[in-house]
Amino acid sequence: MEFAKRMNHFSEGIFTRLLEIKRERLEKGQAVIDLSVGTPNIPPAPHIITALCEAAADPQNYIYAVNDQSELLQAASTWYKQRYNVELDPKTQICSLLGSQEGLAHISLSIVDEGDLVLVPDPCYPVFADGPLLAGAELYYMPQQEEHGYVIQLEDIPADIAARAKFMLVSYPNNPTTAMAPEQFYVDLIAFAKKHNIIVLHDNAYSELVFDGKTCGSFLSLPGAMDVGIEFNSLSKTYGLAGARIGFCVGNASVVSVLKKLKSNMDYGMFLPIQRAAIAAITGDQSQVEQVRAIYEERRDILCDGFSRLGWHITKPEATMFVWTRIPAHYKSSEQFATDLVNQTGVIVTPGSAFGPSGEGYVRLALVQSQEQLEQALQYVEASGILNPNN
C-alpha cells in the first residue's frame, strides 16, 4: 500500500515511547504520575454541567447543528466585549471550533497553498507546525529564546522570508514556554504584518491562567489588529471543558469567512447540547475562572518550590498550566532525561525536543494533577536520586 507523502512529516516519536513505559508500569502495579499532556482535571462549574445535561435530555437536540446557533454567536460577541473590550460582529467575525486544536489543524487549508511559507514559533505547540505541514506549506521557525524572555524577535526575521510569508502563528501566554509578551510586541507585530501583507493567527487559550495578580487581554484589542488577523480562544482550560471541544475563531471577517466555508465542507457543526454548555460558561457566573486560576497557581508553587528545594531550580511561570525549565545540568538530552525520569520515578514529563528544535535542553511539566499527587511526585523524584549528578 502507498500512502500520502505528507504523512512523512509526522511520527509517533517520544510520546509513544513514554506512553508505552507508562502502560508497562501500570501493568506491573507501579506508580505513575503523568505531568506530560495538558489535560485539565478541574471539572466545569455546576451550572455548565446542568445546561449540558438539560440540553442532552431533549431529543430534538440530536439533529445536525450544521451552523453555530445565533445565541452562541451573540454570547461569544458579548463575552469578548465584556472580557477583552473587543467589538465583534456575531454574524461575520465569529466561528466556533471543535476545540482550538481542530481549528489550528485546519485553518492553513483555507489560507495557504502548497509551497507557501508559514512562520511558526520555535519551540511551539506541535499543531502550530503540523497544521501548515498538512496544507503542504514550507515552515520558517521564529526562535523563542530564553535570553529574550521567549518573545519572538521580529526584527531578526530575514527580509526575503518576511516577503514570502503568507501566514504566521503567535501565542502568548505561550505553550510551552509559559511566557507573556509585552504590549509593544503586539504593536510591532501588527506593523510587521501590515508591511509584509501577512495574516496573523494569535492563539489566546491561556489568557485567564495568568498568575501573581497579573492580567492578560486580547491581541485584537490593539489598533489595526483586526485588519491583519484573527484570534483563537478556548473554553477547555478556563471552564473545564477540554473534552467537550469548544473553541472560537474571531477577528478579521475575511479570514473567518473562509474558515467557515472550509468547515461547512468538513463537519456538521458543534453538538447542540455542547453549544448550550458553551453559552452557559461564557454568560454565567464567572467566579470559577478565578477559582481555576488559584488552583493552578497553587500547583505551580508546590511543584516549583519543591523541585528547587531538591536542587532543580525552576523559575515560576507567570502564566499557563505548564512549567518550562532547563533539564538538570548533568543531562545533555531532554528525551533521555524524560525517559530516565519515568523509568526511575514514574513521573512523566514532555521533553522540550517534542516542541521543535529550540526545545532541546528543556522539559515541560503540566500542572494537571492534584496537590497530593504533585507532592507525591516530589517524593518519588527525591527518593530516586535522579537529580544528583553523582548518582
Side-chain angles (χ1 to χ4, degrees), residues 244-297:
R245 312 310 302 131
I246 306 171
F248 293 98
C249 169
V250 302
N252 182 278
S254 296
V255 181
V256 171
S257 174
V258 74
L259 179 59
K260 282 186 175 182
K261 183 187 295 185
L262 175 70
K263 284 176 60 63
S264 73
N265 289 277
M266 298 185 74
D267 63 63
Y268 283 111
M270 185 184 294
F271 185 39
L272 291 174
I274 292 180
Q275 293 197 39
R276 300 306 306 178
I279 293 167
I282 58 180
T283 64
D285 180 9
Q286 298 297 296
S287 60
Q288 181 191 23
V289 176
E290 178 57 38
Q291 293 167 7
V292 168
R293 182 185 301 118
I295 290 171
Y296 281 118
E297 186 168 342

Side-chain angles (χ1 to χ4, degrees), residues 186-197:
Y186 291 108
V187 173
D188 296 341
L189 174 66
I190 293 165
F192 179 84
K194 286 187 174 183
K195 177 180 178 180
H196 299 289
N197 193 29

Side-chain angles (χ1 to χ4, degrees), residues 154-233:
L154 297 170
E155 65 273 17
D156 291 344
I157 299 172
D160 60 326
I161 293 294
R164 289 182 54 206
K166 193 171 185 180
F167 179 38
M168 66 188 299
L169 294 106
V170 177
S171 179
Y172 297 101
N174 185 256
N175 176 12
T177 70
T178 77
M180 293 176 66
E183 184 173 300
Q184 185 60 46
F185 168 78
Y186 291 108
V187 173
D188 296 341
L189 174 66
I190 293 165
F192 179 84
K194 286 187 174 183
K195 177 180 178 180
H196 299 289
N197 193 29
I198 300 173
I199 296 171
V200 176
L201 189 164
H202 181 252
D203 181 35
N204 202 24
Y206 298 98
S207 61
E208 298 292 6
L209 298 186
V210 179
F211 310 130
D212 304 317
K214 298 177 182 177
T215 59
C216 178
S218 166
F219 154 70
L220 295 175
S221 67
L222 294 171
M226 208 76 74
D227 298 330
V228 299
I230 56 171
E231 184 164 271
F232 277 14
N233 214 319

Side-chain angles (χ1 to χ4, degrees), residues 28-42:
K28 295 176 182 177
Q30 296 175 322
V32 172
I33 299 178
D34 194 344
L35 306 180
S36 63
V37 182
T39 304
N41 67 337
I42 303 171

Side-chain angles (χ1 to χ4, degrees), residues 121-158:
D122 173 33
C124 74
Y125 184 50
V127 77
F128 282 10
D130 293 346
L133 288 174
L134 282 170
E138 176 186 343
L139 302 184
Y140 177 85
Y141 286 105
M142 303 178 290
Q144 297 186 126
Q145 299 171 323
E146 188 173 357
E147 56 263 38
H148 298 300
Y150 299 109
V151 176
I152 296 165
Q153 302 298 290
L154 297 170
E155 65 273 17
D156 291 344
I157 299 172

